[in-house]
Amino acid sequence: MKYLKGSNLIVFLTCITLALWVLSKNTLSDISQTPLRSISQAFSLVGLLYMMISLILSTRIRFFEDMMGGLDKVYEAHHIIGSISFVLIMHHPLLLAIQAIPHASQVVLYLFPSSLYAYNLGVVALYIMIFSFLFMVVFKLPYHLWKRTHQMLGFAGILGGAHALNITSDIAVYMPLRYWMMGWIGVGAASFIYMLIFYYRLGSIYKYKVTRIERVLDIVNVYAQPITRKINFKPGQFAYVSFSNKGLGSEQHPFSFSSGPEDPELRFSIKMLGDYTVSIPQIKKGDFMYMKGPYGRFGEVYVNGTKPLVWIVGGIGVTPFLSMLRFQQNLLNERQIEMFYCFTTREGGVFTDEINQLTMKKKSIHVHEWCSTEKGQFSISQIETILHQYPDYDVQICGPGPMMDSLQMQLEVRGVSDDRIIFEKFQLI
Ligand SMILES: Cc1cc2nc3c(=O)[nH]c(=O)nc-3n(C[C@H](O)[C@H](O)[C@H](O)COP(=O)(O)OP(=O)(O)OC[C@H]3O[C@@H](n4cnc5c(N)ncnc54)[C@H](O)[C@@H]3O)c2cc1C
């Protein structure tokens, strides 16, 4: 919940929904006489609202990024709100079924397909949600399958919305509640369809041509130049990228720019990790590269801030820092920066030479290489004397998830507040 800005707005929307639901009742005793049924109704309305908000948040619209301070925060909110909606919606038929005991035919109606079309919409939505969820939790799916399964949850949400609008319940009789929920279901459904069909076809897609490929160990540098329009990004940002190469298919993956915005060639530095990235070396000079974006706010504190910075970099998490280092090199004369570049083995410090070259003549940036097989695991206690030189500083971290979580805790116990620690998470899902 740490980054969940906009949570007040969610509470406000929840209150409106519940208030409309209460107003839909003739008397308050309608609620108290059948408590399980009432809780079930309230859960279903709020669950549906959250499901729609979660779908709306998945659209990567810049407004939400601005509001929450980065796409990773938006996705975090999307996951939290989506999970709460799942729990609430699951309880809806269960509570109704419990309330209906001992009337077996009614219990069956809430949980199994029947001749009633409106109920069936809800039952089918329920099954899709349960199976998608189990599939995602039980199996460690490769991303493309995970994504398809995840999309099924959105589809279930739309079916759930259709169910809510078609049953003879409070939504059917009280028009303010009906229009309120219709509005959310409509926008949620439009968001789902937009992401499913139009996101990759509409809007700004930047087309580049690959100019060269360079491989160093398990990292591949892909260089490219624009065919027509240049993408206008800030250092530390990322884009969703796909290639025309048949070996890679049309999947889009997020990668941070590792070149500076003013560099003559655009560069992504990609670590071969899973089924998609191991195929990156198949890319050839002349292939097309497509980008959606740019996204992210990671570099803002460097570009716009004034405080000294502590950069903690783990492995391939170096890419946004390379972009920052390459951006308006005169900035490096003005900012005090302590950069800790961490890698497991000496060879793993693939960008050491490049970083040293970029920072060689800059007095205000100090680069510390941290090879963990030589110095042990990087921790804040080992750099405390350096940090004590600065009365106030911001910290930017990009690296493996467990490393970032651990460093965040170590910094927080030393009194570094949340808003001074800026992350770039390489896992949005
Ligand atoms: C903001 C951001 C910036 C990134 N920058 C870089 C970079 O500069 N260099 C680099 O090497 N890697 C970067 N990554 C990570 C990179 O996107 C993943 O390593 C890559 O997508 C893994 O795909 P895979 O199929 O090879 O591996 P898999 O094993 O299938 O995936 C590993 C993990 O990567 C994530 N992932 C996979 N595919 C996607 C996708 N299409 N969209 C979102 N997440 C996905 C999932 O969390 C998955 O569990 C970045 C990620 C993010 C979110």
Side-chain angles (χ1 to χ4, degrees), residues 60 72 140-144 147 200 219 237-240 251-258 268-279 316-317 319-320 398 424-429:
R60 299 179 193 159
D72 53 338
K140 168 95 183 78
L141 298 173
Y143 177 77
H144 60 281
K147 192 172 167 187
Y200 295 115
I219 291 178
Q237 287 196 297
F238 66 96
Y240 280 86
E251 259 179 58
Q252 294 216 352
H253 285 247
F255 296 111
S256 299
F257 300 97
S258 65
F268 289 110
S269 304
I270 300 173
K271 183 166 168 126
M272 295 157 63
L273 262 182
D275 56 347
Y276 181 82
T277 44
V278 290
S279 306
I316 193 61
T319 50
C398 186
E424 184 65 296
K425 291 188 177 163
F426 274 10
Q427 269 199 322
L428 290 179
I429 55 174

Side-chain angles (χ1 to χ4, degrees), residues 59-338:
T59 51
R60 299 179 193 159
I61 289 173
R62 221 163 288 276
F63 168 77
F64 298 120
E65 237 199 307
D66 293 340
M67 189 169 102
M68 295 184 183
L71 197 63
D72 53 338
K73 317 286 185 304
V74 179
Y75 270 99
E76 204 170 306
H78 161 80
H79 290 307
I80 293 171
I81 295 167
S83 305
I84 298 173
S85 92
F86 178 79
V87 173
L88 292 175
I89 290 174
M90 283 295 117
H91 278 82
H92 170 60
L94 291 180
L95 291 173
L96 283 177
I98 294 170
Q99 171 90 48
I101 292 172
H103 306 290
S105 62
Q106 267 209 302
V107 173
V108 168
L109 183 69
Y110 294 131
L111 299 177
F112 299 99
S114 64
S115 57
L116 297 176
Y117 147 80
Y119 279 81
N120 283 347
L121 287 170
V123 171
V124 173
L126 178 74
Y127 287 150
I128 294 178
M129 284 179 99
I130 292 173
F131 285 118
S132 306
F133 186 75
L134 286 179
F135 210 58
M136 287 195 299
V137 170
V138 175
F139 302 105
K140 168 95 183 78
L141 298 173
Y143 177 77
H144 60 281
L145 286 182
W146 180 93
K147 192 172 167 187
R148 290 274 166 262
T149 316
H150 195 65
Q151 280 168 345
M152 291 306 289
L153 284 175
F155 183 60
I158 307 304
L159 283 181
H163 158 75
L165 294 175
N166 280 288
I167 46 163
T168 47
S169 179
D170 307 316
I171 293 191
V173 293
Y174 188 59
M175 286 307 125
L177 179 63
R178 183 170 185 79
Y179 292 135
W180 172 255
M181 291 310 294
M182 251 176 140
W184 283 106
I185 293 165
V187 180
S191 304
F192 177 68
I193 292 166
Y194 166 71
M195 285 311 282
L196 195 67
I197 302 171
F198 299 112
Y199 174 76
Y200 295 115
R201 294 180 175 84
L202 294 180
S204 287
I205 296 174
Y206 296 90
K207 188 173 176 186
Y208 275 52
K209 196 172 220 169
V210 174
T211 47
R212 61 196 164 107
I213 293 281
E214 228 176 51
R215 180 168 171 184
V216 189
L217 300 174
D218 58 353
I219 291 178
V220 183
N221 288 314
V222 181
Y223 294 86
Q225 281 186 329
I227 305 273
T228 48
R229 246 166 5 121
K230 192 169 178 258
I231 188 166
N232 187 13
F233 67 92
K234 299 195 181 83
Q237 287 196 297
F238 66 96
Y240 280 86
V241 185
S242 64
F243 295 92
S244 63
N245 189 292
K246 284 205 174 67
L248 282 106
S250 58
E251 259 179 58
Q252 294 216 352
H253 285 247
F255 296 111
S256 299
F257 300 97
S258 65
S259 51
E262 302 107 346
D263 286 348
E265 279 178 311
L266 184 144
R267 178 182 66 174
F268 289 110
S269 304
I270 300 173
K271 183 166 168 126
M272 295 157 63
L273 262 182
D275 56 347
Y276 181 82
T277 44
V278 290
S279 306
I280 289 284
Q282 293 183 31
I283 297 171
K284 296 185 304 295
K285 181 178 171 183
D287 281 351
F288 293 120
M289 181 172 90
Y290 306 95
M291 285 175 287
K292 278 283 268 191
Y295 296 104
R297 297 279 181 277
F298 186 62
E300 273 179 6
V301 67
Y302 171 62
V303 177
N304 303 325
T306 50
K307 281 200 254 172
L309 289 170
V310 176
W311 285 357
I312 306 177
V313 183
I316 193 61
V318 71
T319 50
F321 294 96
L322 292 173
S323 184
M324 291 193 275
L325 285 173
R326 304 186 77 88
F327 172 68
Q328 293 181 2
Q329 275 250 303
N330 56 351
L331 263 185
L332 284 180
N333 295 324
E334 294 156 19
R335 296 298 290 276
Q336 283 291 332
I337 300 174
E338 299 291 340

